[in-house]
Amino acid sequence: DEDLLARGRRAYGGPLDWRDRWHRTPVHWSVLNGHADALSTLLEARAAADPPPVPRSRHAKNTTLRLETPMEIALRRGDERVQ
């Protein structure tokens, strides 16, 4: 259904920006695990480098993980390859 897809894009970004139960996208996971090649591939495929934010209240209901952007994860880890 096209309407459902349009609502999903508005809320979650493109198809490469969908989040898992911890509200992390493939970009989050590639940065978190230091996979610079995977990150490059995702960004070339037009995944969002800065995915749409999740409200803190919603995030807190689902997980105890930090609510971080991919860039915040890269800075925290000190991984220069993915910054």
Side-chain angles (χ1 to χ4, degrees):
D1 177 48
E2 192 59 37
D3 183 52
L4 179 63
L5 290 174
R7 285 186 286 158
R9 280 191 293 274
R10 280 194 304 275
Y12 300 105
L16 295 175
D17 299 322
W18 286 79
R19 296 174 183 268
D20 60 17
R21 69 182 195 184
W22 298 282
H23 300 142
R24 289 188 170 159
T25 66
V27 169
H28 282 90
W29 285 109
S30 62
V31 170
L32 185 64
N33 292 299
H35 296 302
D37 291 338
L39 176 61
S40 179
T41 300
L42 286 164
L43 296 176
E44 286 174 15
R46 304 187 53 78
D50 190 19
V54 172
R56 287 197 180 279
S57 60
R58 182 170 157 214
H59 181 78
K61 288 179 185 175
N62 296 329
T63 181
T64 58
L65 293 177
R66 294 182 190 184
L67 179 58
E68 300 175 290
T69 66
M71 182 57 79
E72 290 169 333
I73 293 171
L75 291 171
R76 177 172 54 84
R77 293 187 74 246
D79 191 338
E80 295 176 10
R81 295 174 303 148
V82 296
Q83 290 182 15

